[in-house]
Amino acid sequence: MIVREDILQRFGPLAFRLKRTNYLFGDTFGVADRYPFILTGGAQELGFPLSACYRDYVARIEARPAVREAERREALSEASSSQL
């Protein structure tokens, strides 16, 4: 069974990169950033104590226009589903 400490340990290798670059492979958002973004955002929502580089990473991606639009559409979809 994976416990909280195991999960936190798995975030370690990414911190090395995110402390040096805006995204995993440099200063440009890439397809490789999608999965860690989802995992990191979820870990934050669950209250995992992640370092500032992860909070900054999530904030950078959440500020992207395409992400804001996707979140807006998701909220509209959830709202219409709850009215059924």
Side-chain angles (χ1 to χ4, degrees):
M1 181 170 136
I2 296 178
V3 295
R4 187 177 184 95
E5 292 77 25
D6 292 331
I7 293 170
L8 287 171
Q9 185 178 19
R10 293 168 196 249
F11 277 97
L14 291 179
F16 178 79
R17 284 192 175 272
L18 295 178
K19 288 178 181 177
R20 291 161 178 75
T21 62
N22 285 329
Y23 300 101
L24 289 179
F25 294 103
D27 290 326
T28 304
F29 178 82
V31 69
D33 289 294
R34 292 178 178 183
Y35 187 63
F37 166 66
I38 298 297
L39 291 178
T40 303
Q44 285 182 328
E45 288 180 21
L46 292 172
F48 281 77
L50 299 177
S51 66
C53 69
Y54 290 109
R55 292 188 298 272
D56 296 343
Y57 177 67
V58 169
R60 271 192 299 280
I61 294 175
E62 286 178 336
R64 295 175 53 80
V67 173
R68 289 196 321 260
E69 177 63 16
E71 289 175 343
R72 184 189 70 79
R73 288 182 181 195
E74 184 177 321
L76 289 175
S77 175
E78 289 174 0
S80 66
S81 294
S82 68
Q83 295 175 359
L84 298 176

Coordinates of all heavy atoms in Angstrom, one line a residue:
M1 N 0.8 -1.2 0.0 CA 0.0 0.0 0.0 C 0.9 1.3 0.0 O 1.8 1.4 0.8 CB -0.9 0.0 1.2 CG -1.8 1.1 1.3 SD -3.0 0.9 2.6 CE -3.0 2.4 3.4
I2 N 0.6 2.2 -0.9 CA 1.3 3.4 -0.9 C 0.8 4.4 0.1 O -0.4 4.6 0.2 CB 1.2 4.0 -2.3 CG1 1.9 3.1 -3.4 CG2 1.9 5.4 -2.3 CD1 1.8 3.7 -4.8
V3 N 1.7 4.9 0.9 CA 1.3 5.8 1.9 C 1.8 7.2 1.6 O 2.5 7.4 0.6 CB 1.9 5.4 3.3 CG1 1.2 4.1 3.8 CG2 3.3 5.3 3.3
R4 N 1.3 8.2 2.3 CA 1.6 9.6 2.1 C 3.1 9.9 1.8 O 3.5 10.6 0.9 CB 1.1 10.4 3.2 CG 1.1 11.9 3.1 CD 0.5 12.5 4.3 NE 0.4 13.9 4.2 CZ -0.6 14.6 3.8 NH1 -1.7 14.0 3.4 NH2 -0.6 15.9 3.7
E5 N 4.0 9.3 2.6 CA 5.4 9.6 2.5 C 5.9 9.0 1.2 O 6.8 9.6 0.5 CB 6.2 8.9 3.7 CG 5.9 9.6 5.0 CD 4.6 9.2 5.6 OE1 4.1 8.1 5.3 OE2 4.1 10.0 6.4
D6 N 5.4 7.9 0.7 CA 5.8 7.3 -0.6 C 5.4 8.2 -1.7 O 6.2 8.4 -2.6 CB 5.2 5.9 -0.8 CG 5.7 4.9 0.2 OD1 6.9 5.0 0.6 OD2 5.0 3.9 0.5
I7 N 4.2 8.8 -1.6 CA 3.8 9.7 -2.7 C 4.6 10.9 -2.7 O 5.1 11.4 -3.8 CB 2.3 10.0 -2.5 CG1 1.5 8.8 -2.7 CG2 1.9 11.1 -3.4 CD1 0.0 8.9 -2.3
L8 N 4.9 11.5 -1.6 CA 5.7 12.7 -1.5 C 7.1 12.4 -2.0 O 7.7 13.3 -2.7 CB 5.8 13.2 -0.1 CG 4.5 13.9 0.4 CD1 4.7 14.2 1.9 CD2 4.2 15.2 -0.4
Q9 N 7.7 11.3 -1.8 CA 9.0 10.9 -2.3 C 9.0 10.9 -3.8 O 10.0 11.2 -4.4 CB 9.4 9.6 -1.7 CG 10.9 9.2 -2.0 CD 11.3 7.9 -1.4 OE1 10.4 7.1 -1.0 NE2 12.5 7.7 -1.3
R10 N 7.9 10.5 -4.4 CA 7.9 10.4 -5.9 C 7.9 11.8 -6.5 O 8.2 11.9 -7.7 CB 6.7 9.6 -6.3 CG 6.8 8.1 -5.8 CD 5.5 7.4 -6.0 NE 5.6 6.1 -5.2 CZ 5.7 4.9 -5.8 NH1 5.6 4.8 -7.1 NH2 5.7 3.9 -5.0
F11 N 7.6 12.8 -5.8 CA 7.6 14.1 -6.4 C 9.0 14.7 -6.4 O 9.3 15.7 -7.1 CB 6.7 15.1 -5.5 CG 5.2 15.0 -5.9 CD1 4.4 14.2 -5.2 CD2 4.8 15.7 -7.0 CE1 3.0 14.2 -5.6 CE2 3.4 15.7 -7.4 CZ 2.6 14.9 -6.6
G12 N 9.9 14.1 -5.7 CA 11.3 14.6 -5.5 C 12.0 14.9 -6.9 O 12.6 15.9 -7.1
P13 N 12.1 13.9 -7.7 CA 12.8 14.1 -9.0 C 12.3 15.2 -9.9 O 13.1 15.9 -10.5 CB 12.6 12.7 -9.7 CG 12.4 11.7 -8.6 CD 11.6 12.5 -7.6
L14 N 11.0 15.5 -9.8 CA 10.5 16.6 -10.6 C 10.9 17.9 -10.0 O 11.1 18.9 -10.8 CB 8.9 16.5 -10.7 CG 8.3 15.4 -11.4 CD1 6.8 15.5 -11.4 CD2 8.8 15.4 -12.9
A15 N 11.1 18.0 -8.7 CA 11.5 19.3 -8.1 C 12.8 19.7 -8.7 O 13.0 20.9 -8.8 CB 11.5 19.1 -6.6
F16 N 13.7 18.8 -8.9 CA 15.0 19.1 -9.4 C 14.9 20.0 -10.7 O 15.5 21.0 -10.9 CB 15.8 17.9 -9.7 CG 17.1 18.1 -10.3 CD1 18.2 18.5 -9.5 CD2 17.4 18.0 -11.7 CE1 19.5 18.8 -10.1 CE2 18.6 18.2 -12.3 CZ 19.6 18.6 -11.5
R17 N 14.0 19.6 -11.6 CA 13.8 20.3 -12.9 C 13.0 21.6 -12.7 O 13.3 22.6 -13.2 CB 13.0 19.4 -13.9 CG 13.9 18.4 -14.5 CD 13.1 17.8 -15.7 NE 13.9 16.8 -16.4 CZ 14.7 17.2 -17.4 NH1 14.8 18.4 -17.8 NH2 15.4 16.2 -18.0
L18 N 11.9 21.5 -11.9 CA 11.0 22.7 -11.7 C 11.7 23.8 -10.9 O 11.2 24.9 -11.0 CB 9.7 22.2 -11.1 CG 8.9 21.3 -11.9 CD1 7.6 20.9 -11.1 CD2 8.5 21.9 -13.3
K19 N 12.7 23.5 -10.2 CA 13.4 24.6 -9.5 C 14.3 25.4 -10.5 O 14.8 26.5 -10.2 CB 14.3 24.1 -8.4 CG 13.4 23.6 -7.2 CD 14.3 23.1 -6.1 CE 13.4 22.6 -4.9 NZ 14.1 22.0 -3.9
R20 N 14.6 24.8 -11.7 CA 15.5 25.4 -12.6 C 14.8 25.9 -13.9 O 15.4 26.7 -14.6 CB 16.6 24.4 -13.0 CG 17.5 24.1 -11.9 CD 18.3 22.8 -12.1 NE 19.2 22.5 -11.0 CZ 18.9 22.1 -9.8 NH1 17.6 22.0 -9.5 NH2 19.8 21.9 -8.9
T21 N 13.6 25.4 -14.2 CA 12.9 25.8 -15.4 C 11.5 26.0 -15.1 O 10.9 25.5 -14.1 CB 13.1 24.7 -16.5 OG1 12.5 23.5 -16.1 CG2 14.5 24.5 -16.9
N22 N 10.8 26.7 -16.0 CA 9.3 26.9 -15.8 C 8.5 25.7 -16.1 O 7.4 25.5 -15.4 CB 8.8 28.0 -16.8 CG 9.3 29.4 -16.3 OD1 9.4 29.6 -15.1 ND2 9.5 30.3 -17.2
Y23 N 9.0 24.8 -16.9 CA 8.2 23.6 -17.3 C 9.2 22.4 -17.3 O 10.4 22.7 -17.1 CB 7.5 23.7 -18.6 CG 6.5 24.9 -18.6 CD1 6.9 26.1 -19.2 CD2 5.3 24.7 -18.0 CE1 6.0 27.1 -19.2 CE2 4.4 25.8 -18.0 CZ 4.7 27.0 -18.6 OH 3.8 28.0 -18.6
L24 N 8.8 21.2 -17.5 CA 9.7 20.1 -17.3 C 10.9 20.1 -18.2 O 12.0 19.7 -17.9 CB 8.9 18.8 -17.6 CG 7.9 18.4 -16.5 CD1 7.2 17.1 -16.8 CD2 8.6 18.3 -15.1
F25 N 10.7 20.6 -19.5 CA 11.8 20.5 -20.4 C 12.2 21.9 -20.9 O 12.5 22.1 -22.1 CB 11.4 19.6 -21.6 CG 11.3 18.2 -21.2 CD1 10.1 17.6 -21.0 CD2 12.5 17.4 -20.8 CE1 10.0 16.2 -20.5 CE2 12.4 16.1 -20.4 CZ 11.2 15.5 -20.2
G26 N 12.1 22.9 -20.0 CA 12.6 24.2 -20.4 C 11.5 25.3 -20.1 O 10.7 25.1 -19.2
D27 N 11.5 26.3 -20.9 CA 10.6 27.5 -20.6 C 9.4 27.4 -21.5 O 8.6 28.4 -21.5 CB 11.4 28.8 -20.8 CG 12.4 29.0 -19.8 OD1 12.2 28.6 -18.6 OD2 13.5 29.6 -20.1
T28 N 9.1 26.3 -22.2 CA 8.0 26.2 -23.0 C 7.1 25.0 -22.5 O 7.6 23.9 -22.3 CB 8.4 25.9 -24.5 OG1 9.2 27.0 -24.9 CG2 7.1 25.9 -25.4
F29 N 5.8 25.3 -22.3 CA 4.9 24.2 -22.0 C 4.9 23.1 -23.0 O 4.8 23.4 -24.2 CB 3.5 24.8 -21.8 CG 2.4 23.8 -21.4 CD1 2.3 23.4 -20.1 CD2 1.6 23.3 -22.4 CE1 1.3 22.5 -19.8 CE2 0.6 22.4 -22.1 CZ 0.5 22.0 -20.8
G30 N 4.9 21.9 -22.6 CA 4.9 20.8 -23.6 C 4.0 19.7 -23.1 O 3.4 19.7 -22.0
V31 N 3.8 18.7 -24.0 CA 2.9 17.6 -23.7 C 3.3 16.9 -22.4 O 2.4 16.4 -21.7 CB 2.7 16.7 -24.9 CG1 4.0 15.9 -25.1 CG2 1.6 15.7 -24.7
A32 N 4.5 16.8 -22.1 CA 5.0 16.1 -20.9 C 4.5 16.8 -19.6 O 4.5 16.2 -18.5 CB 6.5 16.0 -20.9
D33 N 4.1 18.1 -19.7 CA 3.7 18.8 -18.5 C 2.3 18.5 -18.1 O 1.9 18.9 -17.0 CB 3.8 20.4 -18.8 CG 5.2 20.8 -18.8 OD1 5.9 20.7 -17.8 OD2 5.7 21.2 -19.9
R34 N 1.5 17.9 -18.9 CA 0.1 17.7 -18.6 C -0.1 16.8 -17.4 O -0.9 17.1 -16.5 CB -0.7 17.1 -19.8 CG -0.8 18.1 -20.9 CD -1.5 17.4 -22.1 NE -1.6 18.4 -23.2 CZ -2.2 18.1 -24.3 NH1 -2.7 16.9 -24.5 NH2 -2.4 19.1 -25.2
Y35 N 0.5 15.6 -17.4 CA 0.3 14.6 -16.4 C 0.8 15.1 -15.0 O 0.1 15.1 -14.0 CB 1.0 13.3 -16.8 CG 0.7 12.2 -15.8 CD1 -0.6 11.7 -15.6 CD2 1.7 11.6 -15.1 CE1 -0.8 10.7 -14.8 CE2 1.5 10.5 -14.3 CZ 0.2 10.1 -14.1 OH -0.1 9.1 -13.2
P36 N 2.0 15.7 -14.9 CA 2.5 16.2 -13.6 C 1.6 17.3 -13.1 O 1.4 17.5 -11.9 CB 3.9 16.7 -13.9 CG 4.3 16.0 -15.1 CD 3.1 15.7 -15.9
F37 N 1.0 18.1 -14.0 CA 0.1 19.2 -13.6 C -1.1 18.6 -12.9 O -1.5 19.1 -11.9 CB -0.3 20.0 -14.9 CG -1.4 20.9 -14.6 CD1 -1.3 22.0 -13.8 CD2 -2.6 20.7 -15.3 CE1 -2.4 22.8 -13.6 CE2 -3.7 21.5 -15.1 CZ -3.6 22.6 -14.2
I38 N -1.7 17.6 -13.5 CA -2.9 17.0 -12.9 C -2.5 16.3 -11.5 O -3.2 16.5 -10.6 CB -3.4 15.9 -13.8 CG1 -3.9 16.5 -15.1 CG2 -4.6 15.1 -13.2 CD1 -5.0 17.5 -15.0
L39 N -1.4 15.6 -11.5 CA -1.0 15.0 -10.2 C -0.7 16.0 -9.1 O -1.1 15.9 -8.0 CB 0.2 14.1 -10.5 CG 0.0 12.8 -11.3 CD1 1.4 12.1 -11.4 CD2 -1.0 11.9 -10.6
T40 N 0.1 17.1 -9.5 CA 0.4 18.1 -8.6 C -0.8 18.8 -8.1 O -0.9 19.1 -6.9 CB 1.5 19.0 -9.2 OG1 2.6 18.3 -9.6 CG2 2.0 20.1 -8.2
G41 N -1.7 19.2 -9.0 CA -2.9 19.9 -8.6 C -3.7 19.1 -7.6 O -4.2 19.5 -6.6
G42 N -3.8 17.8 -7.9 CA -4.6 16.9 -7.1 C -3.9 16.7 -5.7 O -4.6 16.7 -4.7
A43 N -2.6 16.6 -5.7 CA -1.9 16.5 -4.4 C -2.1 17.8 -3.6 O -2.3 17.7 -2.3 CB -0.4 16.3 -4.7
Q44 N -2.1 18.9 -4.2 CA -2.4 20.2 -3.5 C -3.8 20.2 -2.9 O -4.0 20.5 -1.7 CB -2.2 21.4 -4.4 CG -0.8 21.8 -4.7 CD -0.7 23.0 -5.5 OE1 -1.5 23.3 -6.4 NE2 0.4 23.7 -5.4
E45 N -4.8 19.8 -3.7 CA -6.2 19.7 -3.2 C -6.3 18.8 -2.0 O -7.2 19.0 -1.2 CB -7.1 19.3 -4.3 CG -7.3 20.4 -5.4 CD -8.2 20.0 -6.5 OE1 -9.0 19.0 -6.3 OE2 -8.1 20.6 -7.6
L46 N -5.5 17.7 -2.0 CA -5.6 16.7 -0.9 C -4.7 17.2 0.3 O -4.7 16.5 1.3 CB -5.1 15.4 -1.4 CG -6.1 14.7 -2.4 CD1 -5.4 13.4 -3.0 CD2 -7.4 14.4 -1.8
G47 N -4.1 18.3 0.2 CA -3.3 18.8 1.3 C -1.9 18.3 1.5 O -1.3 18.4 2.6
F48 N -1.3 17.7 0.4 CA 0.0 17.3 0.5 C 1.0 18.5 0.6 O 0.8 19.5 -0.1 CB 0.4 16.5 -0.7 CG -0.1 15.1 -0.7 CD1 -1.4 14.8 -0.9 CD2 0.8 14.0 -0.4 CE1 -1.8 13.5 -0.9 CE2 0.4 12.7 -0.3 CZ -1.0 12.4 -0.6
P49 N 1.9 18.5 1.5 CA 2.9 19.6 1.7 C 3.9 19.6 0.6 O 5.0 19.1 0.7 CB 3.5 19.4 3.0 CG 3.5 17.9 3.2 CD 2.2 17.4 2.4
L50 N 3.6 20.2 -0.6 CA 4.5 20.3 -1.7 C 5.3 21.6 -1.6 O 4.9 22.6 -1.1 CB 3.8 20.2 -3.0 CG 3.0 19.0 -3.2 CD1 2.2 19.1 -4.6 CD2 3.9 17.7 -3.2
S51 N 6.5 21.6 -2.1 CA 7.4 22.8 -2.1 C 6.8 23.8 -3.0 O 6.0 23.6 -3.9 CB 8.8 22.4 -2.5 OG 8.9 22.0 -3.8
A52 N 7.4 25.0 -2.9 CA 6.9 26.2 -3.6 C 7.1 26.0 -5.1 O 6.3 26.5 -5.9 CB 7.7 27.4 -3.2
C53 N 8.1 25.2 -5.6 CA 8.3 25.0 -7.0 C 7.0 24.4 -7.6 O 6.7 24.6 -8.8 CB 9.5 24.3 -7.3 SG 9.6 22.6 -6.9
Y54 N 6.4 23.5 -6.9 CA 5.2 22.8 -7.4 C 4.0 23.8 -7.4 O 3.2 23.8 -8.4 CB 4.8 21.6 -6.6 CG 5.8 20.5 -6.8 CD1 6.7 20.1 -5.8 CD2 5.9 19.8 -8.0 CE1 7.6 19.1 -6.0 CE2 6.8 18.7 -8.2 CZ 7.6 18.4 -7.2 OH 8.5 17.4 -7.3
R55 N 3.8 24.6 -6.4 CA 2.8 25.6 -6.4 C 2.9 26.5 -7.5 O 1.9 26.9 -8.2 CB 2.7 26.3 -5.0 CG 2.3 25.3 -3.9 CD 2.0 26.1 -2.6 NE 3.2 26.8 -2.1 CZ 4.2 26.2 -1.3 NH1 4.0 25.0 -0.9 NH2 5.2 26.9 -0.9
D56 N 4.1 27.0 -7.8 CA 4.4 27.9 -8.9 C 4.1 27.2 -10.2 O 3.6 27.9 -11.1 CB 5.8 28.4 -8.8 CG 6.1 29.2 -7.6 OD1 5.2 29.7 -6.9 OD2 7.3 29.4 -7.3
Y57 N 4.5 26.0 -10.3 CA 4.3 25.2 -11.6 C 2.8 25.1 -11.9 O 2.3 25.4 -13.0 CB 4.9 23.8 -11.4 CG 4.7 22.9 -12.5 CD1 5.3 23.1 -13.7 CD2 4.0 21.7 -12.3 CE1 5.2 22.1 -14.8 CE2 3.8 20.8 -13.3 CZ 4.4 21.0 -14.6 OH 4.3 20.1 -15.6
V58 N 2.0 24.8 -10.9 CA 0.5 24.7 -11.1 C 0.0 26.0 -11.4 O -0.8 26.2 -12.4 CB -0.2 24.1 -9.9 CG1 -1.7 24.2 -9.9 CG2 0.2 22.6 -9.7
A59 N 0.4 27.1 -10.8 CA -0.1 28.4 -11.0 C 0.2 28.9 -12.4 O -0.6 29.5 -13.1 CB 0.5 29.4 -10.0
R60 N 1.5 28.6 -12.9 CA 1.8 28.9 -14.3 C 0.9 28.3 -15.3 O 0.5 28.9 -16.3 CB 3.3 28.5 -14.6 CG 4.3 29.5 -14.2 CD 5.7 29.2 -14.8 NE 6.2 27.9 -14.3 CZ 6.8 27.8 -13.2 NH1 7.0 28.8 -12.3 NH2 7.3 26.6 -12.8
I61 N 0.7 27.0 -15.1 CA -0.2 26.2 -16.1 C -1.6 26.7 -15.9 O -2.3 26.9 -17.0 CB 0.0 24.7 -15.9 CG1 1.4 24.3 -16.2 CG2 -1.0 24.0 -16.7 CD1 1.8 22.9 -15.9
E62 N -2.1 26.9 -14.7 CA -3.5 27.4 -14.6 C -3.7 28.8 -15.2 O -4.8 29.1 -15.6 CB -3.9 27.4 -13.1 CG -4.1 26.0 -12.5 CD -4.5 26.1 -11.1 OE1 -4.1 27.1 -10.4 OE2 -5.1 25.1 -10.6
A63 N -2.7 29.6 -15.3 CA -2.8 30.9 -15.9 C -2.8 30.9 -17.4 O -3.1 31.9 -18.1 CB -1.6 31.8 -15.4
R64 N -2.5 29.7 -18.0 CA -2.5 29.6 -19.5 C -4.0 29.8 -20.0 O -4.9 29.2 -19.4 CB -2.0 28.3 -19.9 CG -0.5 28.1 -19.6 CD 0.1 26.7 -19.9 NE -0.2 26.4 -21.3 CZ 0.5 26.8 -22.4 NH1 1.5 27.6 -22.2 NH2 0.1 26.4 -23.6
P65 N -4.2 30.6 -21.1 CA -5.5 30.8 -21.6 C -6.3 29.5 -21.9 O -7.5 29.4 -21.6 CB -5.3 31.6 -22.8 CG -4.0 32.3 -22.6 CD -3.2 31.4 -21.8
A66 N -5.6 28.5 -22.5 CA -6.3 27.3 -22.9 C -6.8 26.5 -21.6 O -7.9 25.9 -21.6 CB -5.4 26.4 -23.7
V67 N -6.0 26.6 -20.5 CA -6.4 25.9 -19.3 C -7.6 26.6 -18.7 O -8.5 26.0 -18.2 CB -5.2 25.8 -18.3 CG1 -5.6 25.2 -17.0 CG2 -4.1 24.9 -19.0
R68 N -7.5 28.0 -18.6 CA -8.6 28.7 -18.1 C -9.9 28.4 -18.9 O -11.0 28.3 -18.3 CB -8.3 30.2 -18.1 CG -7.2 30.6 -17.0 CD -7.2 32.0 -16.7 NE -7.3 32.9 -17.9 CZ -6.4 33.5 -18.5 NH1 -5.1 33.3 -18.2 NH2 -6.6 34.3 -19.6
E69 N -9.8 28.4 -20.2 CA -11.0 28.1 -21.0 C -11.5 26.7 -20.7 O -12.7 26.4 -20.6 CB -10.7 28.2 -22.5 CG -11.8 27.9 -23.4 CD -13.0 28.8 -23.3 OE1 -12.9 29.8 -22.7 OE2 -14.1 28.3 -23.8
A70 N -10.6 25.7 -20.6 CA -11.1 24.3 -20.3 C -11.7 24.2 -18.9 O -12.8 23.6 -18.8 CB -9.9 23.4 -20.4
E71 N -11.2 24.9 -18.0 CA -11.8 25.0 -16.6 C -13.2 25.6 -16.7 O -14.1 25.2 -16.0 CB -10.9 25.6 -15.6 CG -9.7 24.8 -15.3 CD -8.7 25.5 -14.4 OE1 -8.7 26.7 -14.3 OE2 -7.8 24.8 -13.8
R72 N -13.3 26.7 -17.5 CA -14.6 27.4 -17.6 C -15.6 26.4 -18.2 O -16.8 26.3 -17.7 CB -14.4 28.6 -18.5 CG -15.7 29.5 -18.6 CD -15.6 30.6 -19.6 NE -15.6 30.0 -21.0 CZ -16.6 29.6 -21.7 NH1 -17.8 29.7 -21.2 NH2 -16.5 29.2 -22.9
R73 N -15.2 25.7 -19.3 CA -16.2 24.8 -19.9 C -16.5 23.6 -19.0 O -17.7 23.2 -19.0 CB -15.5 24.2 -21.2 CG -15.5 25.3 -22.3 CD -14.9 24.7 -23.6 NE -14.8 25.7 -24.6 CZ -14.6 25.4 -25.9 NH1 -14.5 24.2 -26.3 NH2 -14.6 26.4 -26.7
E74 N -15.6 23.2 -18.2 CA -15.8 22.1 -17.3 C -16.9 22.5 -16.2 O -17.8 21.8 -15.9 CB -14.6 21.6 -16.6 CG -14.7 20.5 -15.7 CD -13.4 20.0 -15.1 OE1 -12.4 20.0 -15.8 OE2 -13.5 19.6 -13.9
A75 N -16.7 23.8 -15.8 CA -17.7 24.3 -14.8 C -19.1 24.4 -15.4 O -20.1 24.1 -14.7 CB -17.2 25.6 -14.3
L76 N -19.1 24.8 -16.6 CA -20.5 24.9 -17.3 C -21.1 23.6 -17.5 O -22.3 23.4 -17.3 CB -20.3 25.6 -18.7 CG -20.0 27.1 -18.7 CD1 -19.7 27.6 -20.1 CD2 -21.1 27.9 -18.0
S77 N -20.3 22.6 -17.8 CA -20.7 21.2 -18.0 C -21.2 20.6 -16.7 O -22.3 20.0 -16.7 CB -19.6 20.4 -18.6 OG -20.0 19.0 -18.7
E78 N -20.5 20.9 -15.6 CA -20.9 20.4 -14.3 C -22.2 21.0 -13.9 O -23.1 20.4 -13.3 CB -19.8 20.6 -13.3 CG -18.6 19.7 -13.5 CD -17.5 20.0 -12.5 OE1 -17.6 21.0 -11.7 OE2 -16.5 19.4 -12.6
A79 N -22.4 22.3 -14.2 CA -23.6 23.1 -13.8 C -24.8 22.5 -14.5 O -25.8 22.4 -14.0 CB -23.4 24.6 -14.0
S80 N -24.6 22.3 -15.8 CA -25.7 21.8 -16.6 C -26.1 20.3 -16.2 O -27.2 19.9 -16.2 CB -25.5 21.9 -18.1 OG -24.4 21.0 -18.5
S81 N -25.1 19.6 -15.8 CA -25.3 18.2 -15.4 C -26.1 18.1 -14.1 O -26.9 17.3 -13.8 CB -24.0 17.4 -15.2 OG -23.4 17.3 -16.5
S82 N -25.8 19.1 -13.2 CA -26.5 19.1 -11.9 C -27.9 19.5 -12.0 O -28.7 19.3 -11.1 CB -25.7 20.0 -10.9 OG -25.8 21.4 -11.3
Q83 N -28.3 20.2 -13.1 CA -29.7 20.6 -13.3 C -30.6 19.5 -13.9 O -31.8 19.6 -13.9 CB -29.7 21.8 -14.3 CG -29.1 23.0 -13.7 CD -29.0 24.2 -14.7 OE1 -29.5 24.0 -15.8 NE2 -28.5 25.3 -14.2
L84 N -30.0 18.4 -14.3 CA -30.8 17.3 -14.8 C -31.5 16.5 -13.8 O -31.3 16.4 -12.7 CB -29.9 16.3 -15.6 CG -29.2 16.9 -16.8 CD1 -28.3 15.9 -17.5 CD2 -30.2 17.4 -17.9

